[in-house]
Every structure is written in C-alpha cells, then in structure tokens.
C-alpha cells in the first residue's frame, strides 16, 4: 500500500470538498422542504412569493358583482343585459381583462368578430350535451359575411327584441 | 426583586399586553383564510355543464401570458364523440382556445373526420388542467429541486431554478406540463397562485359562464364545493397511477383519462 492509492483518494476528497464548498455558496439559503417532505416539496421558499407577486389582469367579482361594477359607468349596457340569456357571461370574456379599467386600459376591446359568437352558437349535433340547450346556427349559412352584432344585440340577444 | 425576575415578569407583561392589541386589529377574513396553513386547494369540474366555448382557455392564456399562437396551454377542453356504430373520437384543436366552431373532428396532421349527425350517439366536453396531485410524479423526478408542492397543495415551478431538461414533462401522466416557448422553462397550471392567495377565483373559474369549473379549500367542510366533492359521486383521472389527483370530475366516462 504505497503512494498511488493515497494520491487518487486525495484527488477524490479534494473534489468532494470542492463541490461542497461550491454548493454552500451557490444554493440559496432558503432552500428546504415543506411539510410534504424532501420528495415532493424540496424548493426555494422565496419562489412561492414570486408566484404570488404575478400581476393580476382579470377582475374577480363573480358574475353578479361584475355587472354591478361595470354598471357604475355603463349602466345603459348592464340594464339591457338579459339575465336568462347572456347574463351568465362575464363582461370580461368578450371585452378582455379589466382589472384596472378605466385607468389601464382606458378603453376595453370590442370584439365584433363572428368567431366570438360562434364559440357557443355553432350548431353541433350533440343532443346529450349541455351545448344542445344553446340555440345553434350553421355559420356557413346564417347570414355569411355579416357581423352577428349588426343584427343581434350582444347584451340582449332576445329575438323578440330585435 | 432580582434582576432576572424583573426581566422575566416584564417580558410576560409585554407579551400579554400585545396579544389583545393584535386581536383587536381589523382583518379581512378572506386574507386570513388565504394565509391559513391548513388550506388545501382542490378543483371541481362538471362535465355536464361544459359547452366547449373555450373562454377558460382564453382567460388562462391571457392571465398567465401563455402565447396564443403556440400549441401549448395550461388548461384545455377535450371533445368526446361516440358514434352509434361504437367508434370514439377525441379531439382538442389548439386546446379549444377558440372553442369548438366546427362539427368535424380534428384527427391531427391536417386530417379531419366529418361525422354524420344521425350517427352521433353521445358527445360531451371535458375541461382539463393540472391535477395538483397529492403525490406528484413530476416533482419527484426534478433533478434540481425546481418544481415542488407548496404546503397549501399547489404544484409550482421555480423559473429561475429550472434547467429545462423536460423530465417532469415526460413524468406527468396527464400531459399537463409543457415547455414554455418564451420563458424557456417547464410550465404548468399554478391554480392562479397569485389570485387564490389573495382570496380571488382563478381566471378560468371566473371566466366560465356555466359554472363547470369550481375551486375550494377541501379542508373546509363548510365550503359548498367541498360538500359536493364529499357528498356526490365524483371521480379522478387515472386513479390507478396512485398520484391522488386533487381535480375532481362530475360525469366522467371510461374513455376520459
């Protein structure tokens, strides 16, 4: 047992110590396990705060409160809104995120495309699905090349009120 | 009185005086609930109510800055069509970010299949997202400790720590993870962690006009959604994998996996 074994062993020990020292400085001090243990929750704790700090874009108001909020300034629209037809659709679905509206953005988008309405109103022959409860049209036949909102009021689509 | 005794007693007095002060502070009950370590977030999806409008996908992508022109998404809606001659078709064009505006089935690679309306037996839509499993395989495989489960039950990815190896994307049995084309890291549903921790609903729950998506603290037995999970027949996806998913479904079918 002479020198050659000691030499490799020394190199290995040096490597291990080197890696440990590097690790000591490189790994953030708040690395640790949550209550689910090492296997599922070994992480940098400050990352949770980073996710919490993501910017919010959509208002959280629930449908009814949404209408109350928007109604403060757009009560003409909210008044014609039909509770039984489009009343369940939150305004932001069609007008985009409005967390800081009317400061930022000052105006919301108005999407007059047919695609917006066709999400729900394309006729699909699915009698067993809830989709069947929504009146459907064939987009290739129902007044092609015209915008739906030229004839239908998106806030009150009731056919009798047309 | 000895000095030690004096110090001890004054500490007790100070401690005692400060408790009622903090108890008198006015707090938002939602904030307290959000800071509650006993919270455990769970999700409930009702496939009977879903009409496949895709507003949830649109809201999710907008809220979380997921590009619309890339074929990746944190949540998506699948369409299941069973024909009367016992064939089953499943598709989800672009994750249904624009809804289902065509009756033909997207078979992939530019192939489509038109199904005779007379032949359609049953058909339905199933919204999907990360199940935030109780024993998530994705966090087990991460070689650098970049993905983890928080104490309130949400599986997150540390974007500064992720090396983009893609191991977790392979490990997820539900295909809920993807490679973020802009951030260049693994990405997934966060249950809108920035919203729920402030007492708000997730963007998708907020967007759904038909109440097909709901969220709850499953440790709070008085929560109406928790009551549904406890008292009604709900199922989870791929139970046999032992991942203990925390997204519960009403109206599952065998093919929905």
């Amino acid at each position: 047992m002479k020198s050659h074994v000691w030499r490799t062993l020394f190199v290995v020990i040096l490597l291990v110590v080197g890696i440990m020292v590097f690790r000591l400085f490189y790994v953030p001090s708040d690395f640790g396990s949550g209550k689910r243990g090492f296997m599922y929750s070994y992480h940098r704790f400050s990352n949770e705060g980073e996710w919490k700090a993501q910017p919010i874009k959509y208002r959280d108001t629930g449908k009814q409160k949404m209408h109350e909020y928007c109604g403060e300034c757009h009560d003409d629209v909210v008044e014609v809104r039909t509770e039984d037809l489009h009343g369940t659709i939150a305004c932001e679905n069609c007008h985009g995120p409005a967390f800081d509206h009317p400061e930022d953005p000052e105006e919301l988008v108005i999407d007059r495309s047919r695609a917006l309405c066709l999400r729900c109103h394309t006729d699909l022959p699915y009698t067993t699905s809830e989709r069947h409860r929504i009146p459907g049209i064939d987009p290739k036949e129902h007044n092609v090349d015209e915008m739906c909102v030229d004839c239908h009021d998106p806030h009150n689509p009731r056919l009798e009120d047309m | 009185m000895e000095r030690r005794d004096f110090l001890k007693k004054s500490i007790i007095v100070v401690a005692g005086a400060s408790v009622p002060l903090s108890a008198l502070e006015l707090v938002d009950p939602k904030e307290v609930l959000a800071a509650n370590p006993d919270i455990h977030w769970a999700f409930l999806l009702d496939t009977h109510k879903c009409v496949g409008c895709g507003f949830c996908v649109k809201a999710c992508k907008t809220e979380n800055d997921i590009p619309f022109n890339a074929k990746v998404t944190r949540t998506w809606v699948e369409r299941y069509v069973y024909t009367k001659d016992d064939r089953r078709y499943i598709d989800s064009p672009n994750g249904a970010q624009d809804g289902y505006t065509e009756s033909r089935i997207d078979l992939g690679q530019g192939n489509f299949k038109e199904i005779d309306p007379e032949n359609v037996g049953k058909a339905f839509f199933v919204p999907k997202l990360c199940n935030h499993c109780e024993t998530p395989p994705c966090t087990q495989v991460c070689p650098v400790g970049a993905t983890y489960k928080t104490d309130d039950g949400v599986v997150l990815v540390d974007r500064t720590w992720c090396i983009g190896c893609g191991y977790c994307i392979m490990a997820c049995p539900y295909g809920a993870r993807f490679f973020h084309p802009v951030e260049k890291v693994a990405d997934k549903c966060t249950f809108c962690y920035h919203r729920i921790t402030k007492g708000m609903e997730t963007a998708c729950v907020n967007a759904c006009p038909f109440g097909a998506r709901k969220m709850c603290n499953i440790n709070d037995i008085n929560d109406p959604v928790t009551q549904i999970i406890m008292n009604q027949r709900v199922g989870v996806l791929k139970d046999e994998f032992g991942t203990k998913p925390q997204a519960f479904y009403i109206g599952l079918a065998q093919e929905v996996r």
Side-chain angles (χ1 to χ4, degrees):
Chain A
M1 268 279 276
K2 247 204 124 192
S3 60
H4 71 282
V5 175
W6 289 116
R7 219 173 272 172
T8 29
L9 205 62
F10 184 65
V11 169
V12 168
I13 289 172
L14 206 71
L15 251 160
V16 169
V17 170
I19 290 172
M20 300 277 261
V21 170
F22 174 73
R23 200 184 167 281
L24 194 70
F25 288 105
Y26 190 67
V27 176
S29 57
D30 63 342
F31 243 96
S33 304
K35 73 175 178 198
R36 282 179 178 78
F38 182 73
M39 197 192 301
Y40 300 116
S41 66
Y42 182 64
H43 68 289
R44 190 167 59 88
F45 280 107
S46 47
N47 183 242
E48 287 177 28
E50 286 164 26
W51 278 111
K52 282 181 196 167
Q54 291 277 313
I56 297 174
K57 294 179 187 157
Y58 282 96
R59 299 191 61 81
D60 177 73
T61 36
K63 272 129 225 153
Q64 199 48 49
K65 274 194 275 165
M66 171 84 72
H67 298 143
E68 278 165 22
Y69 172 77
C70 307
E72 283 172 27
C73 307
H74 303 289
D75 56 338
D76 49 332
V77 171
V78 174
E79 245 161 51
V80 299
R81 184 182 60 94
T82 44
E83 196 57 65
D84 53 335
L85 302 173
H86 281 184
T88 56
I89 312 172
C91 315
E92 284 177 313
N93 278 331
C94 298
H95 292 296
F99 189 68
D100 283 327
H101 173 74
E103 277 84 46
D104 170 39
E106 280 174 20
E107 268 185 27
L108 293 184
V109 283
I110 295 187
D111 180 0
R112 294 190 176 85
S113 68
R114 285 169 71 90
L116 176 71
C117 314
L118 293 178
R119 282 170 176 263
C120 293
H121 287 294
T122 308
D123 192 23
L124 297 175
Y126 304 155
T127 47
T128 59
S129 164
E130 181 77 354
R131 178 70 169 246
H132 199 63
R133 203 180 54 77
I134 303 176
I137 48 126
D138 184 347
K140 294 193 192 76
E141 284 179 8
H142 189 81
N143 305 303
V144 195
D145 297 333
E146 280 180 85
M147 288 182 301
C148 317
V149 288
D150 284 349
C151 305
H152 301 286
D153 182 345
H155 306 125
N156 173 16
R158 199 181 302 284
L159 292 179
E160 298 95 76
D161 297 349
M162 262 170 82
Chain B
M1 199 192 298
E2 271 184 36
R3 200 159 102 187
R4 168 173 271 160
D5 263 359
F6 171 74
L7 285 175
K8 249 190 199 164
K9 287 204 172 112
S10 50
I11 285 173
I12 290 172
V13 169
V14 167
S18 63
V19 167
L21 264 184
S22 60
L24 278 176
E25 247 177 292
L26 275 179
V27 281
D28 182 357
K30 268 187 173 171
E31 255 176 42
V32 174
L33 202 65
N36 180 357
D38 293 335
I39 245 174
H40 187 112
W41 298 106
F43 215 88
L44 177 68
L45 299 113
D46 190 340
T47 61
H48 296 300
K49 290 184 178 157
C50 183
V51 305
C53 69
F55 274 148
C56 49
V57 184
K58 181 185 173 195
C60 172
K61 285 198 159 188
T62 311
E63 177 79 27
N64 297 299
D65 292 319
I66 311 296
F68 275 85
N69 49 13
K71 288 206 181 238
V72 293
T73 178
R74 288 182 175 188
T75 182
W76 65 100
V77 182
E78 293 172 357
R79 164 167 66 181
Y80 290 75
V81 179
Y82 298 56
T83 62
K84 285 181 182 149
D85 53 10
D86 206 28
R87 290 180 172 279
R88 286 123 205 225
Y89 298 94
I90 306 168
D91 74 342
S92 184
N94 278 330
Q97 66 184 24
D98 304 314
Y100 288 90
T101 54
E102 288 184 71
S103 57
R104 58 182 192 174
I105 303 288
D106 186 347
L107 300 175
Q109 268 112 38
N111 300 320
F112 296 91
K113 165 98 183 161
E114 193 62 71
I115 298 174
D116 177 12
E118 295 292 308
N119 196 16
V120 173
K122 63 179 170 188
F124 52 91
F125 299 94
V126 179
K128 289 216 174 153
L129 75 168
C130 170
N131 287 287
H132 293 272
C133 308
E134 197 45 29
T135 55
C138 53
T139 67
Q140 291 181 41
V141 301
C142 181
V144 295
T147 182
Y148 58 94
K149 199 164 168 69
T150 63
D151 287 352
D152 49 5
V154 180
V155 178
L156 296 176
V157 181
D158 184 342
R159 283 188 171 172
T160 54
W161 219 243
C162 175
I163 56 172
C165 69
Y167 211 0
C168 56
I169 301 172
M170 293 288 129
C172 176
Y174 307 100
R177 283 173 172 258
F178 59 89
F179 192 75
H180 197 297
V182 180
E183 304 285 339
K184 310 284 185 212
V185 290
D187 200 64
K188 67 181 289 299
C189 161
T190 61
F191 268 175
C192 282
Y193 204 53
H194 55 301
R195 296 173 66 89
I196 58 171
T197 48
K198 296 186 187 82
M200 305 171 94
E201 302 259 40
T202 69
C204 58
V205 170
N206 219 22
C208 183
F210 306 103
R213 292 168 171 259
K214 290 195 177 85
M215 249 200 118
C216 67
N217 169 14
I218 204 161
N219 285 347
D220 173 11
I221 53 163
N222 297 319
D223 191 314
V225 182
T226 308
Q227 295 261 328
I228 297 178
I229 295 176
M230 287 197 307
N231 301 334
Q232 295 189 18
R233 280 158 289 172
V234 294
V236 294
L237 302 176
K238 294 186 185 166
D239 198 15
E240 66 278 14
F241 278 55
T243 51
K244 303 196 188 120
Q246 300 301 304
F248 298 89
Y249 283 84
I250 299 177
L252 274 186
Q254 197 194 348
E255 286 72 20
V256 183
R257 296 175 49 72

